[in-house]
Amino acid sequence: MPRQSETSGPRSTGTASPYDVARWCAGNGWPVHPLAPGRKTPAANCPACRDEPHSPQDCPCHPAGRWCHSFHAATTNPALLDAWWGRHPTLGVGVSCGVAGLVVLDIDAHSAEVPDRNRLLPGIPIHESVNLAGLASGFDTLALLAALRRRQSPADDDSTLRVRTPSGGLHVWYRTPPEGPRYRSSVGSSPKAALAWQVDVRSTGGYIVTPATRTSAGTYSPVGAARFPAVLPDWLATELQRTGHPVDHRPAQVPSPRPGPLRPARQRAHQLLEPLLDQVKDCALAPEGTAFTEKLNRAAYTAGGLIASGHLTDSQARDLLTAAADAARPHRSRHSLAVITSALSAGASRPLHFKGRP
């Protein structure tokens, strides 16, 4: 689909409706899917998809024009945009980043327990002579990475679309060349692929909230004059390569569920997830120093893989994860929700399928 001008946007951010935003994104070739009204999470699945787990690729809702399974339902089809936002104007708008060829850096501004200095930038040891006083957020770690590479921090890159989030964070949008590499999503606290502490990567297996989307916490508002993503800078592409983010650029094919009764697989899914949830709940024993974020991230990442393989529904996983997080850190629900959402998206790129019989 042809792109609009790289400086164009959906009218003005103050007056653009979700339908305007969805059409603008689709016009740029970015598949979109609905978000729950007033929230930054995907709109709920239909009752059948909530009650009976199955692979998104095998879901009958997509051919029927329904939006089940989050970013898996993303589309640029004008008829579906009319059906979804034309009939439900309060739905928010999310973009499926990987299919759109987008890499979005989600910089977190939440204060959190700072890990050991050698875990701030995975794979880069930070010498004791480097003064880290005042470091508190993803803005700081991304600036540190840029300084080490003698580059401008992406947070200050006025050549590309940047969007301020209601919580004070920042989304920095980039695009990859049509035939260039594709990258996996990640969360900044992940022990596997991660770019920097408190900096999530939204790409394959993830989605991003569009500018002008309104939630109960506020509006996602563009910063500066740029209204279109610039090409991913070479130095950031190198960093993503170094930190294990590249994936096959072809769309991931999720295998169909194994034949036979679903109940044993569901039991095995819970058996895999329960110990991770228990680790999260055990963090209630101490107010800090328990690696709460990392444990919650690990549990949600695993749950994302179970959702993608059809062993759990999104709503089931979110209920379990939210309950565990609230039991451990009842006053950090916003932070927990951010971790859960990001890790579920990242885990969805690696479906978990059980081999053999239980």
Side-chain angles (χ1 to χ4, degrees), residues 267-299:
Q267 290 176 343
R268 295 185 68 183
H270 282 280
Q271 289 170 359
L272 177 63
L273 190 57
E274 283 175 0
L276 301 178
L277 294 172
D278 288 341
Q279 291 179 19
V280 174
K281 296 174 186 176
D282 288 344
C283 292
L285 299 176
E288 58 184 19
T290 61
F292 166 74
T293 297
E294 291 186 15
K295 291 175 181 178
L296 179 60
N297 175 74
R298 188 178 301 113

Side-chain angles (χ1 to χ4, degrees), residues 71 95-105 174 176 181-186 200-208 240 245 247 345 349:
F71 59 84
V95 171
S96 178
C97 295
V99 181
L102 295 172
V103 175
V104 181
L105 303 185
Y174 290 111
T176 58
R182 294 294 183 262
Y183 302 96
R184 72 179 78 255
S185 297
S186 70
D200 299 344
V201 176
R202 303 297 180 89
S203 194
T204 301
Y207 71 93
I208 197 70
L240 291 172
H245 283 82
V247 295
S345 295
S349 65

Side-chain angles (χ1 to χ4, degrees), residues 208-239:
I208 197 70
V209 179
T210 60
T213 292
R214 299 173 181 86
T215 69
S216 59
T219 301
Y220 287 75
S221 305
V223 175
R227 291 294 182 271
F228 198 83
V231 174
L232 182 71
D234 289 342
W235 78 271
L236 272 177
T238 299
E239 291 302 313

Side-chain angles (χ1 to χ4, degrees), residues 105-115 120-121 134-146 153-156 164 168-170 172 188-189 195-200:
L105 303 185
D106 182 356
I107 308 172
D108 200 342
H110 295 125
S111 59
E113 180 184 349
V114 179
L120 295 173
L121 301 176
L135 184 146
S137 74
F139 287 95
D140 303 319
T141 51
L142 194 58
L144 177 61
L145 176 62
S153 173
D156 301 321
R164 184 71 62 185
L170 190 70
V172 184
S189 60
L195 180 66
W197 178 70
Q198 294 280 68
V199 178
D200 299 344

Side-chain angles (χ1 to χ4, degrees), residues 11 24 41 69 80 134 143 152-153 194 272 287 320:
R11 290 195 276 165
W24 174 70
T41 53
H69 302 287
L80 289 179
Q152 177 190 50
S153 173
L272 177 63
L320 291 170

